[in-house]
Amino acid sequence: MKLTFLGTGTSTGVPSIGCECETCTSDDPRDKRLRVSVIIEHAGQTVLVDTSSDFRQQALRYGLKRLDAVLITHCHADHIFGLDDIRPLNFRYGALGLYANERAWPDIRRIFKYVFEPSHFGGGLPQIIPHTVYSLAPFCLGGGLRITPLEVIHGRLPVMAYRFNDFAYATDLSEIPAETLDAMQGLDVLVLDCLRFAEHPTHLWLDKALSYVERIRPRRAYFTHIAHDVKYQRDSPKLPAGVEWAYDGLVVTNAN
Ligand SMILES: [Zn+2]
Ligand SMILES: [Zn+2]
Ligand SMILES: [Zn+2]
């Protein structure tokens, strides 16, 4: 399994426009965060989680050649506004499976109405094959990649986290329901939302994220969806062994 962080920033990205704080003016590339997204590669499959508002830039930086599926966590702008930029992949390989929960689909159809109710011929629309995912209802891609959608709560919004064999990716959440905690046992790698140090109504903050890491007990944990409150090098000593701030371009692998 190979997981690549395409983006690890909160919804504004870091640096934040107009901000002159210590993180936003840092020269450390680990303090430059595009909007959150990851690529999972396993068993010949390449899966993208969220078409972030930075997707085009991320795909070019990563050297993305093809995708087998796109999974959506939820419909906030930072997670889906890059959907139009899957078109070059459609032109080469045809339609692409897009997986989202029942809550997200009406929003995807409304926001991208031109895709679902095209008003003119030509022009190159994204070509997607819609799939609805349900929490705790796993499916397989390519035979060797088992994906389990897991519901987490983002303020009051039910959002999808995804387990990929023994990796899990859970961004944009403030609560993890008991059934999802059960389904996250035995992880090698957990990627978890951790916005900042201070409390927040719709995201995890450091203390709460660490308390979930203690309950889930993955071998390794990486925090993402990070605001400019966190400066990578300055704030890395604040994390216990086995827990790290993720950064754009970080690759996490295991032999399974
Ligand atoms: Zn977000
Ligand atoms: Zn700043
Ligand atoms: Zn969100």
Side-chain angles (χ1 to χ4, degrees):
M1 188 84 68
K2 177 180 173 190
L3 180 152
T4 305
F5 288 92
L6 300 186
T8 57
T10 190
S11 60
T12 55
V14 177
S16 180
I17 294 171
C19 185
E20 296 179 338
C21 79
E22 202 184 323
T23 306
C24 290
T25 56
S26 165
D27 291 330
D28 188 339
R30 295 168 298 187
D31 290 324
K32 310 230 176 283
R33 304 176 184 127
L34 299 177
R35 269 54 77 86
V36 291
S37 178
V38 290
I39 286 212
I40 302 284
E41 291 166 274
H42 185 67
Q45 299 290 300
T46 304
V47 176
L48 174 74
V49 185
D50 290 333
T51 52
S52 90
S53 21
D54 294 315
F55 172 64
R56 180 175 178 277
Q57 184 184 350
Q58 291 167 332
L60 293 172
R61 178 190 278 181
Y62 174 78
L64 185 66
K65 296 287 186 286
R66 63 168 297 151
L67 282 176
D68 296 290
V70 179
L71 312 184
I72 298 296
T73 59
H74 68 304
C75 267
H76 286 162
D78 48 325
H79 296 258
I80 63 159
F81 271 22
L83 182 64
D84 196 74
D85 287 322
I86 66 165
R87 290 178 302 138
L89 299 169
N90 296 145
F91 300 154
R92 288 172 181 275
Y93 303 110
L96 198 50
L98 187 70
Y99 296 73
N101 68 5
E102 280 182 306
R103 183 69 180 249
W105 272 116
D107 288 337
I108 295 172
R109 291 178 186 280
R110 177 176 48 79
I111 294 165
F112 296 97
K113 190 173 179 215
Y114 68 96
V115 174
F116 297 92
E117 298 173 33
S119 57
H120 63 278
F121 286 110
L125 294 171
Q127 299 161 36
I128 64 168
I129 304 164
H131 297 275
T132 303
V133 298
Y134 299 91
S135 190
L136 301 168
F139 56 96
C140 281
L141 288 179
L145 180 60
R146 179 183 161 96
I147 302 173
T148 309
L150 298 170
E151 187 169 282
V152 293
I153 306 302
H154 182 23
R156 277 180 289 184
L157 180 70
V159 163
M160 283 292 113
Y162 292 97
R163 178 169 183 157
F164 305 88
N165 297 359
D166 54 359
F167 281 38
Y169 181 73
T171 187
D172 291 60
L173 67 102
S174 45
E175 293 289 339
I176 305 181
E179 317 81 75
T180 292
L181 284 173
D182 289 345
M184 284 182 166
Q185 295 306 305
L187 287 176
D188 185 10
V189 173
L190 170 66
V191 179
L192 191 62
D193 182 329
C194 184
L195 183 73
R196 63 187 192 188
F197 303 105
E199 290 190 22
H200 192 276
T202 64
H203 286 276
L204 295 181
W205 58 94
L206 183 60
D207 287 350
K208 194 166 180 185
L210 287 175
S211 76
Y212 276 129
V213 170
E214 276 176 28
R215 290 168 72 179
I216 297 167
R217 298 197 162 278
R219 277 195 53 237
R220 297 173 279 171
Y222 298 87
F223 289 155
T224 193
H225 213 289
I226 307 163
H228 62 166
D229 310 60
V230 175
K231 193 174 180 204
Y232 182 86
Q233 201 153 25
R234 183 194 66 197
D235 296 324
S236 286
K238 294 174 181 162
L239 302 182
V243 183
E244 293 175 33
W245 302 108
Y247 54 86
D248 292 20
L250 175 64
V251 176
V252 180
T253 58
N254 76 3
N256 298 336

